[in-house]
Amino acid sequence: MERMEEKEVTSAINVDMNRRGFLKGAALSALGIAGMGALAGCGQAKSANSASTDDSSKAAEEFKADETREADIVVVGAGAAGMMAAHVAAQGGAKVVILEKGADYSAPNGMYVSGPFAVGTDVLQNKEGGTTLTVDDAFYHVMEYSHWTPNPALLRRCLEESKNAVAELEGIGYTFKETNFRFETPFVGEKGGFHLITIPSDERVKLWESSVEADGIDIQFDTEFVSLVVDDKGKVTGANCTKSKKNITYNCKAVIMCAGGYLGNRDLQERFLHTRKLNVARGGDSICTGDTILAAEAAGAALDKTFGYCPCEYGGTNSLATRPAKQDKFDQNTAFKFGLYGCLLVDAEGKRFINEGLLCDYPMSYGSEQIILNAPWYAVVDQAYVDAMKTQGLYEYTTAKGATSENWFIGNYFKDRVLENLDSDIEEGIKEGWCYKANTLKELGEFFGLTDLEETVAQYNKYCDAGVDAQFGTNPWYLSKVATPPFYVTQNEPSAWSTFGGVRTDDNCNVLKAEDNTPMPGLYAAGTDSGSLYYSPYYDVPGFCYGLCIDSGYISATEALEYIKEA
């Protein structure tokens, strides 16, 4: 909806306007329309996108239930963390209800991930040569990488429990293969740790359907979580939701929140990430609109400070594009590959802002922070580069410039990936307004208002001639001179699989109060709703997001089971 409305805005503006002014006007209009689109989507999206904390609190107080139901534990969200939490809680004897905004099991990201990072599993023990990976190895690496920003006790406990979370998945029928990821990572070879799921997503859905039935879990799809029920002693005693225009209150002893963050809420993107440019990697609109985070905040929960995102690693994207980069497919517009291929990248002023090779070698970790800070960012190439990409591809082009299997870990991934349709893809991008072609750098820069582009290219070309990037230290095989007209520029926006950041929790996944950092009785958070698990930029360990989701789902359920026994 949002993308269509943005195009309607752009078509209504005189195409002869200065491109910079055009984009600013379109962007401002789109912001308003984005809000309206979200409001029209559903009642709870309206609350999440527009309500202040006071408004949310008032909404919770004014909620009038048409029906009241009973449960022991209510799990909000049927993603990786939610399904794990529900399964473990049900196995422990609890009467569990899952509230899921999506229409079916295929809605959350949890069914599509590559696999988790885990320590001490049977998969690792049984691999050829075994494993030397320890909890200490992983723990100290991620804590040093994140400068000890997340909750250390919670991170360590997740790693300690990761073998149990993987075992639960194996128990319902998942199979895994320990393997290296395509990006260079700290744990390969004799250590390992990345567990590739070897069954397709449709089979995973069937496994969960069978598991939910066997566990006796009541899963409610197309259900909007609205607010928490809190008694006069501060205990969470229920969850309010809407389904088919009916208001329903679930009375319960504990609530586990794992609704997947706020990727689908532009207002919360702006509040937490200071951008409205973060798009959905799977395409379309995300159902993750931060409902649980806002509801917990309204009930007095503390928010943590570790807000970030798990970026899509397959290319730049743009809200104007009909075929943005998403997943590992080439049915996207391949001109978006320039955004992550290591060629010259500039910011809105036309200045370099990053070691471009980081976005090719480590797009999900080291390269990710700068592209969201500088969104949109611009890739600038010449005709010689375009010709090379559509005839040789990045692998042949880069290895010819000195990259080898020893110094270019990701290189094999690009073998035989030639952008054969690049000419038509560029033309499509030009028509859609996120790509431009010009015979001079001056004209190229003027289209998007890149005022310093000519000066930047002149200096960058000197680095290319010298084979040394004296500014940011980019590897020489990524230095691609911009000298042969015509010249091309693509406007790129970031996209994400999920967002990070939310409520603060202790090492039991118990949500903490804002006023004194003590636990809120009966309230737990897992997965990307927990602000105490993640860090920005994303960890440099493949599968760590999904791994922490299932680990924290496991922990929150075990702790909730203990709590309701005493309640």
Side-chain angles (χ1 to χ4, degrees):
M1 176 185 294
E2 180 184 329
R3 184 179 299 134
M4 177 186 70
E5 290 169 329
E6 286 178 342
K7 288 183 177 179
E8 290 172 354
V9 173
T10 61
S11 66
I13 299 176
N14 191 325
V15 295
D16 293 326
M17 291 176 62
N18 173 272
R19 179 62 179 178
R20 186 69 166 185
F22 165 80
L23 289 174
K24 287 183 177 178
L28 290 172
S29 301
L31 295 187
I33 290 174
M36 290 189 290
L39 297 183
C42 58
Q44 181 53 20
K46 177 178 181 179
S47 173
N49 278 328
S50 60
S52 67
T53 300
D54 290 341
D55 292 337
S56 297
S57 180
K58 183 178 180 181
E61 293 174 1
E62 294 178 350
F63 186 88
K64 302 297 182 183
D66 300 313
E67 183 179 345
T68 301
R69 301 176 184 175
E70 304 295 322
D72 292 327
I73 297 175
V74 170
V75 176
V76 184
M83 295 305 292
M84 176 63 70
H87 173 65
V88 173
Q91 289 283 302
K95 179 181 179 182
V96 179
V97 173
I98 302 175
L99 308 180
E100 168 55 40
K101 184 185 292 187
D104 53 42
Y105 289 95
S106 66
N109 279 341
M111 294 296 175
Y112 303 94
V113 296
S114 299
F117 178 85
V119 183
T121 64
D122 62 336
V123 177
L124 286 177
Q125 301 299 334
N126 293 333
K127 79 170 197 167
E128 184 177 355
T131 180
T132 61
L133 181 68
T134 66
V135 167
D136 278 352
D137 290 334
F139 174 71
Y140 287 112
H141 174 82
V142 297
M143 293 311 299
E144 289 168 11
Y145 176 88
S146 63
H147 304 289
W148 290 78
T149 302
N151 183 327
L154 177 58
L155 260 292
R156 186 170 190 96
R157 186 174 178 189
C158 282
L159 289 166
E160 291 171 343
E161 299 285 14
S162 62
K163 62 181 182 297
N164 296 323
V166 168
E168 292 292 341
L169 292 178
E170 289 176 318
I172 71 165
Y174 273 55
T175 54
F176 301 91
K177 176 184 178 182
E178 194 280 326
T179 185
N180 290 339
F181 205 65
R182 65 180 175 278
F183 308 132
E184 187 171 11
T185 71
F187 306 118
V188 296
E190 66 178 19
K191 290 189 180 295
F194 174 63
H195 292 60
L196 179 69
I197 301 172
T198 58
I199 55 175
S201 56
D202 57 344
E203 291 186 24
R204 302 176 205 178
V205 168
K206 294 176 183 178
L207 291 176
W208 277 114
E209 287 175 337
S210 298
S211 176
V212 165
E213 183 178 359
D215 288 339
I217 296 171
D218 178 12
I219 185 166
Q220 295 288 318
F221 292 111
D222 293 314
T223 301
E224 304 271 348
F225 171 73
V226 176
S227 57
L228 294 164
V229 180
V230 184
D231 69 13
D232 55 5
K233 295 181 180 180
K235 291 184 178 181
V236 172
T237 60
N240 295 321
C241 61
T242 62
K243 181 173 183 177
S244 302
K245 298 182 180 180
K246 179 186 290 187
N247 288 349
I248 304 169
T249 293
Y250 280 90
N251 294 324
C252 61
K253 299 174 183 177
V255 174
I256 302 175
M257 304 186 308
C258 27
Y262 49 90
L263 180 58
N265 187 328
R266 298 282 183 182
D267 289 345
L268 290 187
Q269 284 186 26
E270 185 172 52
R271 177 183 171 188
F272 297 142
L273 301 178
H274 308 292
T275 185
R276 301 183 78 97
K277 294 291 187 180
L278 187 60
N279 300 300
V280 182
R282 286 174 60 190
D285 298 319
S286 172
I287 59 175
C288 301
T289 51
D291 307 346
T292 45
I293 297 170
L294 290 172
E297 184 181 31
L303 299 189
D304 220 315
K305 58 176 289 189
T306 51
F307 293 97
Y309 73 115
C310 182
C312 174
E313 65 271 37
Y314 299 120
T317 187
N318 194 290
S319 55
L320 297 176
T322 56
R323 297 187 301 133
K326 58 181 181 179
Q327 302 200 35
D328 192 14
K329 298 179 180 179
F330 276 68
D331 57 355
Q332 62 197 4
N333 189 304
T334 56
F336 280 124
K337 293 295 183 185
F338 295 160
L340 294 181
Y341 260 20
C343 53
L344 174 61
L345 303 179
V346 299
D347 61 15
E349 296 180 77
K351 298 177 180 178
R352 291 180 74 202
F353 63 92
I354 193 174
N355 172 334
E356 291 90 352
L358 293 177
L359 274 172
C360 192
D361 293 342
Y362 308 99
M364 300 187 76
S365 52
Y366 297 101
S368 64
E369 191 71 4
Q370 287 301 321
I371 62 173
I372 195 168
L373 290 174
N374 289 283
W377 79 99
Y378 301 85
V380 181
V381 298
D382 67 0
Q383 187 63 51
Y385 188 87
V386 169
D387 290 342
M389 291 305 105
K390 68 184 183 183
T391 58
Q392 302 173 44
L394 188 64
Y395 180 81
E396 295 294 339
Y397 176 80
T398 305
T399 53
K401 294 167 68 176
T404 68
S405 58
E406 286 73 32
N407 60 22
W408 193 38
F409 186 92
I410 197 175
N412 284 336
Y413 171 72
F414 293 106
K415 278 186 177 179
D416 302 320
R417 293 175 182 263
V418 179
L419 309 184
E420 297 175 347
N421 299 319
L422 196 49
D423 285 340
S424 60
D425 287 350
I426 287 173
E427 289 302 315
E428 179 180 274
I430 291 172
K431 291 178 182 178
E432 293 176 343
W434 53 267
C435 183
Y436 192 66
K437 174 182 178 180
N439 287 319
T440 67
L441 289 170
K442 181 180 180 181
E443 181 187 351
L444 195 76
E446 286 176 347
F447 186 75
F448 285 115
L450 310 178
T451 54
D452 293 326
L453 182 61
E454 288 182 276
E455 181 180 349
T456 296
V457 170
Q459 183 61 62
Y460 177 77
N461 283 347
K462 292 179 181 178
Y463 298 149
C464 294
D465 288 337
V468 177
D469 176 10
Q471 184 176 15
F472 295 135
T474 302
N475 279 325
W477 53 79
Y478 284 128
L479 295 175
S480 300
K481 197 170 183 178
V482 182
T484 306
F487 306 107
Y488 302 84
V489 58
T490 61
Q491 184 189 61
N492 302 274
E493 297 170 354
S495 63
W497 303 112
S498 61
T499 55
F500 297 147
V503 296
R504 184 181 301 149
T505 68
D506 62 14
D507 60 336
N508 296 330
C509 293
N510 207 161
V511 175
L512 302 178
K513 300 175 186 176
E515 61 179 356
D516 58 9
N517 265 347
T518 60
M520 295 185 69
L523 185 60
Y524 301 84
T528 57
D529 278 354
S530 170
S532 301
L533 281 172
Y534 296 96
Y535 171 76
S536 186
Y538 179 54
Y539 298 104
D540 63 340
V541 179
F544 215 65
C545 178
Y546 179 60
L548 291 182
C549 282
I550 61 175
D551 302 341
S552 58
Y554 181 93
I555 293 168
S556 62
T558 56
E559 292 297 331
L561 284 170
E562 288 299 312
Y563 171 77
I564 68 175
K565 290 177 182 177
E566 301 171 1

